[in-house]
Amino acid sequence: MSKCDICKKGIGLFSTKYVCALCGKHICSDCRYRWKEHSSILSQILNVEEVDSFFHGSYLPVCPNCIRKMENNCKRVEEAMNNSYDVEVVSINYQGKKMYLSNSKRNIQSHSYRNRDDAREELCVIAKYFGCDMILDFEYERIECEEDSDSGKGIHKYSEWSCSGIAVKNAELGFWGSLH
């Protein structure tokens, strides 16, 4: 039997043990906070899985010690959402050279969406969250999906889109760090 890292209470065999999305501590259901605000995009940024609950919807489990950090992350996401319009997106097929700060490279990826513009918008928000203003090697990935039709008499086929790229800081906007 394992113990909660916060209250030290034993977590039984039939109890759910949660892992804090920020610090990775094991927490019991009494110590867990259900973080719902921007949980979808924060799960991509923090590289953690959302918990999907029938009663509570999707959320990120957070321990009491990390709630203030999560509030700050949410503020950063909101700022990124309001300022992501100026992120330059450079296709993977681009043959020219772009100057960027080499110490700012970060691989990023969006969730899958039926509307591919939503995937691109999310990727720009993620880039801005990390303080980047350009996405290199941008590409879409198309996923073929199926679901039962509303009438129940067939299968509806549709596409979902995700996108990925490398978020960087544009060197033309500031010469701090090494250039690439």
Side-chain angles (χ1 to χ4, degrees), residues 4-170:
C4 174
D5 290 335
I6 303 300
C7 70
K8 308 299 184 208
K9 180 174 80 175
I11 301 173
L13 190 58
F14 298 106
S15 300
T16 304
K17 176 172 60 174
Y18 298 92
V19 177
C20 177
L22 288 176
C23 68
K25 288 183 179 173
H26 294 246
I27 48 180
C28 66
S29 58
D30 293 337
C31 294
R32 173 214 56 217
Y33 181 82
R34 292 182 195 97
W35 195 274
K36 293 183 178 186
E37 188 178 6
H38 304 303
S39 66
S40 179
I41 196 163
L42 281 168
S43 69
Q44 285 295 98
I45 290 169
L46 301 171
N47 196 25
V48 294
E49 292 284 327
E50 280 182 287
V51 174
D52 200 11
S53 165
F54 179 76
F55 294 108
H56 304 288
S58 296
Y59 65 89
L60 295 174
V62 179
C63 75
N65 300 340
C66 291
I67 289 176
R68 186 163 320 285
K69 290 180 203 169
M70 196 59 120
E71 288 170 350
N72 291 335
N73 281 335
C74 270
K75 287 177 188 171
R76 283 180 60 194
V77 166
E78 289 172 9
E79 288 173 17
M81 291 171 92
N82 292 330
N83 296 304
S84 63
Y85 60 88
D86 64 348
V87 173
E88 182 181 359
V89 177
V90 181
S91 169
I92 195 164
N93 299 320
Y94 180 71
Q95 298 296 315
K97 288 275 187 191
K98 288 286 184 179
M99 299 297 288
Y100 62 90
L101 303 177
S102 62
N103 61 347
S104 67
K105 289 174 68 171
R106 179 181 290 270
N107 291 320
I108 56 175
Q109 183 172 350
S110 74
H111 284 97
S112 297
Y113 294 94
R114 286 192 179 192
N115 181 342
R116 73 184 210 159
D117 291 338
D118 292 341
R120 178 185 169 129
E121 184 178 321
E122 180 180 85
L123 201 70
C124 289
V125 169
I126 293 170
K128 206 57 151 174
Y129 175 91
F130 288 118
C132 298
D133 48 24
M134 187 166 33
I135 301 171
L136 301 175
D137 295 343
F138 174 85
E139 64 180 334
Y140 284 109
E141 180 182 352
R142 181 178 174 194
I143 304 155
E144 294 293 327
C145 302
E146 294 180 352
E147 64 186 5
D148 290 333
S149 67
D150 291 339
S151 65
K153 297 180 180 177
I155 294 177
H156 170 70
K157 293 185 177 188
Y158 63 96
S159 295
E160 285 191 355
W161 299 87
S162 66
C163 54
S164 62
I166 302 170
V168 296
K169 292 180 184 173
N170 189 339

